[in-house]
């Protein structure tokens, strides 16, 4: 269960980061609310997960999901570069996260 909550924490992190970009484009009550929800949900779920998982592993997985997810959202919704080198780096982040899960 802690692993599922950790993945949810990473998805909330992606929401929070996405909303930072949306707030820069257009500040609105909806964007501010989703920004707060994203980071509150992210830290809440991360905190729960760290009660059951090693801190280093949980934090690395959480940041990996946030980093890769933020880059992917940027590519698809904010016209960021889809260069193959970026995709390889995202793949390395995800492979590292899977590796940590397998040895944890």
């Amino acid at each position: 269960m802690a692993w599922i909550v950790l993945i949810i924490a990473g998805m909330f992190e992606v929401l929070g980061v996405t909303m930072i970009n949306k707030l820069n484009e257009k500040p609105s009550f909806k964007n501010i609310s989703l920004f707060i929800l994203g980071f509150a949900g992210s830290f809440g779920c991360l905190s729960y997960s760290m009660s059951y998982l090693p801190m280093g592993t949980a934090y690395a997985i959480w940041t990996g999901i946030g980093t890769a997810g933020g880059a992917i959202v940027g590519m698809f919704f904010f016209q960021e570069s889809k260069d193959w080198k970026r995709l390889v780096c995202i793949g390395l982040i995800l492979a590292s996260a899977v590796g940590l899960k397998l040895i944890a």
Side-chain angles (χ1 to χ4, degrees), residues 10-21:
M11 290 192 282
F12 272 123
E13 179 77 7
V14 173
L15 173 64
V17 170
T18 301
M19 296 321 296
I20 290 173
N21 202 16

Side-chain angles (χ1 to χ4, degrees), residues 29-93:
F29 180 76
K30 175 187 162 191
N31 290 345
I32 291 170
S33 298
L34 288 171
F35 166 77
I36 292 169
L37 172 71
F39 283 116
S42 179
F43 287 121
C45 290
L46 176 64
S47 177
Y48 172 83
S49 295
M50 288 175 64
S51 299
Y52 300 96
L53 301 172
M55 185 235 2
T57 301
Y59 183 72
I61 299 292
W62 176 70
T63 57
I65 293 170
T67 302
I72 291 167
V73 166
M75 286 183 212
F76 286 101
F77 297 104
F78 298 104
Q79 292 71 48
E80 293 181 7
S81 170
K82 295 179 182 93
D83 185 61
W84 69 271
K85 294 175 210 165
R86 289 188 74 182
L87 297 173
V88 168
C89 291
I90 291 169
L92 289 171
I93 292 168

